[in-house]
Amino acid sequence: MTVAAPAQRPRKRRLGLLTIGRAPTRGQFVGISVTVFVLLIAAWWAATRSGAIPALFLPGLDRVWQRMVALATEGTLASDINSSLYRIAIAFAISSVMSIVIGALAGCYGLFKAIVEPLVDFIRYMPVVAFVPLTILWSGTDDFQKFLVIWIGTFFQQVLMMIDAVKRVPSDFVGLGRTLGMPDRAIMLKIVLPAAMPAIWDALRISLGWAWTWLVLAELVASTSGLGYRIVVSQRYFQTDTIIGYILLLGFLGLITDQVMRAAEQVLFRYHRRRG
């Protein structure tokens, strides 16, 4: 007598985007992202329109837009953006170049690692806010003080990320260079750094977000221009519409710089394709 095999239960079909490792298509990604922003804006509009939240605490979207248009018309908005972009560009460039050089040396040579890594690990846990009064004491309140705050907030984190990026280069690459008789300097410049550059670029993109945060901190204290300065002045006069508008503007500028770096990564490192 033949025994019938037990019937298998039909497997539940999972939604594609709820499956581990399943990445959305470009259209799905854009659609979901836009939907999230639309829902947030709709919730903001509903909360302010209904009067559930007083305008002093959260002004309506129309008021924020009108205020930003007015600031743009009188030139204040452009002046603040230019001041902030100048400061973050200079400070971030200096921090990035220094961290790449020092991180590459520490990632390649044990001597430099022993010198750099413990010191950086020690300093990076010190709160950047605590350095603000000292930077004013050391350098006054000009742009150099803003550069210094941004540098302190980004450099020490960047160095460790650069060391990690260099250390992740396969040892076989270095071994190949030695087999070809290349000196250490050539191995680092022609093998290690090109192999580590995609990870280094990704680290720069992430640390740029921190730089925006420290920029605002630097401009909140002892400044006469910039996006952070305008937020402080607006707070004194209860201009919540300006505060909200500038906060949104900072998020928008940060998003633009992030997407620019993502696009540049696709162009500069075509040999390094990633999913997602």
Side-chain angles (χ1 to χ4, degrees), residues 185-203:
R185 179 180 178 183
I187 291 175
M188 184 173 69
L189 294 178
K190 296 183 178 181
I191 294 179
V192 175
L193 281 179
M197 274 309 298
I200 289 175
W201 189 264
D202 203 41

Side-chain angles (χ1 to χ4, degrees), residues 173-228:
F173 290 9
V174 178
L176 176 61
R178 297 197 186 281
T179 301
L180 296 175
M182 299 173 64
D184 279 5
R185 179 180 178 183
I187 291 175
M188 184 173 69
L189 294 178
K190 296 183 178 181
I191 294 179
V192 175
L193 281 179
M197 274 309 298
I200 289 175
W201 189 264
D202 203 41
L204 292 177
R205 183 179 62 83
I206 294 172
S207 60
L208 181 57
W210 304 334
W212 277 106
T213 300
W214 304 128
L215 165 72
V216 176
L217 171 65
E219 292 180 342
L220 285 175
V221 181
S223 183
T224 57
S225 63
L227 300 172

Side-chain angles (χ1 to χ4, degrees), residues 126-142:
M126 298 179 182
V128 181
V129 178
F131 283 96
V132 174
L134 286 175
T135 59
I136 296 175
L137 179 64
W138 293 337
S139 58
T141 59
D142 59 4

Side-chain angles (χ1 to χ4, degrees), residues 30 59 69 75 116 121 124 133 153 163 206 214 233 239 246 273:
V30 173
V69 170
V116 172
D121 273 332
R124 74 188 182 98
I163 294 175
I206 294 172
W214 304 128
V233 172
Q239 296 173 343
Y246 270 58
R273 292 296 184 183

Side-chain angles (χ1 to χ4, degrees), residues 80-92 128 132 143 145-154 207-223 225-232 249-250 253-254 257:
D80 290 336
I81 292 176
N82 290 338
S83 296
S84 294
L85 288 179
Y86 165 73
R87 289 164 181 161
I88 195 171
I90 298 297
F92 185 73
V128 181
V132 174
D143 282 342
Q145 185 262 342
K146 313 300 183 292
F147 299 156
L148 194 55
V149 172
I150 298 171
W151 181 85
I152 293 172
T154 55
S207 60
L208 181 57
W210 304 334
W212 277 106
T213 300
W214 304 128
L215 165 72
V216 176
L217 171 65
E219 292 180 342
L220 285 175
V221 181
S223 183
S225 63
L227 300 172
Y229 164 76
R230 194 65 53 192
I231 290 175
V232 171
L249 177 61
L250 283 164
L253 292 173
T257 53

Side-chain angles (χ1 to χ4, degrees), residues 1-8:
M1 182 177 178
T2 305
V3 180
Q8 294 183 351

